[in-house]
Amino acid sequence: DVRPLAYRAIFLLNKEAVRGILPATIDHYRRAIDIFLVTPGMPEDIRELGIEHVESFIVGLRRHRTKQNRPLKPGAIATYQRAVWTWLRWLYDRDLLQVDYSRKVDRVRVEAASVTRRTATADIRRELLIQAKDTGFPIFNQQQYYEVLHES
């Protein structure tokens, strides 16, 4: 069977069984690969997959509009791409593809300025440490304690 969906299923089983990947990650791989497979012009035979299909996938993500009619953010595009590139590399490693397309098409770059970091103020970090100490519940490992203390 050379249908892409069959290889998607085998890939997901491999990731879940052999690699011990979490169910949420498996679902993300499934969603990303499904989006890839509905790219217009996608071949029914995995062996006919070409660089043009991979590039069309990226173009489709860049053109996609959310329910709020906004384009996908570069971080979202990169996340979908990373999952599909993992699958393409897996196909290549098993000699199902002649070319490792994950190395032929550049990854979407996310500028540091476009990444939103969640940060806590020094007061919030201090309060977290007090709560952890008072409850005796180790919500942080030792390295995290050092990081929180260093940033406070």
Side-chain angles (χ1 to χ4, degrees), residues 120-152:
T121 64
D123 290 336
I124 291 171
R125 290 191 298 268
R126 221 174 281 109
E127 185 62 31
L128 283 170
L129 287 173
I130 291 167
Q131 290 290 327
K133 181 179 175 266
D134 290 347
T135 61
F137 184 73
I139 60 172
F140 299 120
N141 65 32
Q142 190 169 1
Q143 178 64 34
Q144 290 168 321
Y145 275 118
Y146 290 133
E147 289 172 7
V148 170
L149 287 172
H150 176 71
E151 292 178 17
S152 295

Side-chain angles (χ1 to χ4, degrees), residues 78-118:
T79 300
Y80 285 119
Q81 183 184 20
R82 199 168 25 257
V84 170
W85 268 218
T86 301
W87 182 57
L88 293 173
R89 195 170 316 108
W90 182 87
L91 291 167
Y92 174 77
D93 289 345
R94 281 150 186 81
D95 297 324
L96 298 166
L97 293 177
Q98 297 295 315
V99 176
D100 183 0
Y101 294 113
S102 70
R103 296 184 188 274
K104 294 289 184 183
V105 178
D106 291 336
R107 287 184 182 248
V108 172
R109 299 288 177 219
V110 180
E111 299 297 324
S114 71
V115 176
T116 304
R117 303 245 186 254
R118 295 183 185 148

Side-chain angles (χ1 to χ4, degrees), residues 3-18:
R3 292 174 299 156
L5 280 176
Y7 286 108
R8 183 204 69 174
I10 295 167
F11 167 77
L12 295 174
L13 281 172
N14 175 265
K15 289 294 181 189
E16 190 170 14
V18 177

Side-chain angles (χ1 to χ4, degrees), residues 18-38:
V18 177
R19 303 285 183 202
I21 303 291
L22 295 172
T25 304
I26 297 296
D27 289 341
H28 171 69
Y29 280 132
R30 182 178 293 111
R31 280 191 310 276
I33 294 167
D34 286 348
I35 291 169
F36 175 71
L37 293 178
V38 297

